Amino acid sequence: MAGVTNPPFRRLCRESGVAGLAAAGAASATAGATSATVGATSATVGATSATVGATAVPSGDGDGEAAPAAASPSGPFAPAGLYVSEMITSRALVERTPETMRMITPDPAEPVRSVQLYGVDPATIGAAVRILVAEDRADHVDLNFGCPVPKVTRKGGGSALPWKRDLFDAIVTEAVAAAREASAGREHEVPVTVKMRMGIDDDHLTYLDAGRLAERAGVAAVALHARTAAQHYSGTARWEAVARLKEAVTSVPVLGNGDIWSAEDAAEMMASTGCDGVVVGRGCQGRPWLFTDLVAAAHGSDLRVRPGLREVAATVRRHAELMVEHFGEEGRALREMRKHMAWYLKGYVVGGEARHDLGLVSSLAELDERLAALDLDQAYPGESAEGPRGRAGSPKAPHLPDGWLDSRDMDADLLAMISQAELSVSGG
């Protein structure tokens, strides 16, 4: 989830996951059994992410002040889950643009530094992975083939790319090889995972072929958002596709994504599909405490966080403080916070004027004033605060390069076009 799963939000989500782990009494028991290559709950924030990303893997995009697990050194263990970065463009990383280098800078307390990469050129992806691994900037790399945004798909990237089997295979194979080579001298090989959609539309499904290709290339896990690119975020995720992928991919974990709004949803997806874990994206928007529920449930606890408005306001304030610390500029930090306000306040009675004003805050002092004016004694509103977050939109024909669907393989003209694709994808 672009602009959402930056280090401040990932920290809130990770801390919530750690709280769930502690509540389940499993912190010490799972620390040695949970790795970046296996997951029961994950969240991507950075698309989305992002996905977003944030990935929780109790054995999850967002994370009480950190229990010991949150302060553990970087490495392969994620006791309270993985929390994946915003989507990083591989070309921008290779060119070391200042904004991209800032975006890959993790919260120092992140036990597993998880970076989500986007790219369309195998060599560029490989070079980006080498930078992340050889320079000790990441402990896990996630390749994004799920983004349905037109500026990505019209250049053959994101959810459009797996249609071209040879290109997909080359990118994933190069990324895994680069991670393996650059991991020499490290205590563990940095795992590469893949996230994708079902395909371009119902007539051009790719997920089973792509899953098998990724498995053969040596990825550590495969995640599926059970929608096509044409669906965008509309309708209902088709969890039966996750079950089919689990049947097709047998040697690495399969993670499911789509319509995970609660711990109960996660449990239902895993039970109905047989998948090894879940990926949470939009479900954590304005609800970092969702990861307390997810991690607790994964360890058999019935703990569920149901915050009143005072607790929500305190989280908003802390989120803003972390954003100021991250950006080093109060004005920019508060502008970035604006998109979060409606998500945090979903279901609470605050009034249209207050929502509007909170969406325009430009300083911490102004934020304090606006929050103090709310009826902070409100209890958790229940169902109205739960369920879908963000805009679902409606089905739409994906924007694709001319002739993209004519063949499952690349030709010279498309190769020339796609070499320029990353230049138009900004923000990392």
Side-chain angles (χ1 to χ4, degrees), residues 207-239:
Y207 69 104
L208 295 178
D209 284 345
R212 294 185 188 103
L213 288 171
E215 180 182 27
R216 186 181 70 185
V219 300
V222 177
L224 177 67
H225 183 165
R227 286 182 172 90
T228 63
Q231 284 183 271
H232 210 68
Y233 296 101
S234 66
T236 302
R238 291 176 277 182
W239 290 1

Side-chain angles (χ1 to χ4, degrees), residues 44-251:
T44 300
V45 196
T48 307
S49 274
T51 103
V52 164
T55 304
V57 186
S59 309
D61 162 16
D63 293 314
E65 186 42 66
S72 61
S74 298
F77 300 119
L82 287 170
Y83 299 85
V84 183
S85 75
E86 302 171 73
M87 189 172 76
I88 305 298
T89 302
S90 57
R91 184 188 294 269
L93 177 55
V94 171
E95 294 176 352
R96 298 177 186 270
T97 65
E99 178 66 6
T100 296
M101 302 312 288
R102 183 192 62 76
M103 289 171 68
I104 66 169
T105 301
D107 172 355
E110 287 185 295
V112 174
R113 300 160 300 170
S114 185
V115 176
Q116 179 185 187
L117 275 186
Y118 157 84
V120 295
D121 174 64
T124 306
I125 283 280
V129 171
R130 288 184 183 90
I131 289 173
L132 292 171
V133 178
E135 298 179 12
D136 194 22
R137 297 178 180 272
D139 305 297
H140 163 234
V141 176
D142 185 52
L143 301 179
N144 185 309
F145 298 103
C147 182
V149 175
K151 72 175 182 178
V152 172
T153 60
R154 69 164 50 100
K155 295 294 186 179
S159 53
L161 196 146
W163 177 254
K164 298 299 187 182
R165 290 171 297 200
D166 53 347
L167 181 61
F168 177 85
D169 188 27
I171 287 175
V172 178
T173 299
E174 177 63 24
V176 171
R180 181 171 296 131
E181 172 191 324
S183 294
R186 293 182 62 148
E187 293 184 357
H188 69 284
E189 181 178 313
V190 171
V192 174
T193 57
V194 163
K195 183 186 176 188
M196 58 189 179
R197 285 187 174 234
M198 292 173 61
I200 293 173
D201 54 34
D202 285 350
D203 294 323
H204 302 89
L205 299 177
T206 58
Y207 69 104
L208 295 178
D209 284 345
R212 294 185 188 103
L213 288 171
E215 180 182 27
R216 186 181 70 185
V219 300
V222 177
L224 177 67
H225 183 165
R227 286 182 172 90
T228 63
Q231 284 183 271
H232 210 68
Y233 296 101
S234 66
T236 302
R238 291 176 277 182
W239 290 1
E240 65 272 14
V242 177
R244 289 196 65 197
L245 182 63
K246 177 61 179 173
E247 293 170 356
V249 174
T250 60
S251 66

Side-chain angles (χ1 to χ4, degrees), residues 363-389:
S363 68
L364 289 174
E366 185 179 2
L367 176 64
D368 289 340
E369 179 182 348
R370 302 297 185 193
L371 291 174
L374 301 178
D375 175 12
L376 297 178
D377 292 328
Q378 285 185 56
Y380 184 70
E383 187 176 345
S384 62
E386 299 168 1
R389 332 287 291 178

Side-chain angles (χ1 to χ4, degrees), residues 275-291:
C275 69
D276 302 286
V278 302
V279 175
V280 177
R282 293 178 301 142
C284 67
Q285 290 176 334
R287 291 194 303 170
W289 49 83
L290 174 61
F291 293 101

Side-chain angles (χ1 to χ4, degrees), residues 260-294:
I260 304 294
W261 312 113
S262 68
E264 288 68 33
D265 290 337
E268 183 181 352
M269 174 183 271
M270 294 182 68
S272 65
T273 68
C275 69
D276 302 286
V278 302
V279 175
V280 177
R282 293 178 301 142
C284 67
Q285 290 176 334
R287 291 194 303 170
W289 49 83
L290 174 61
F291 293 101
T292 300
D293 298 358
L294 290 168

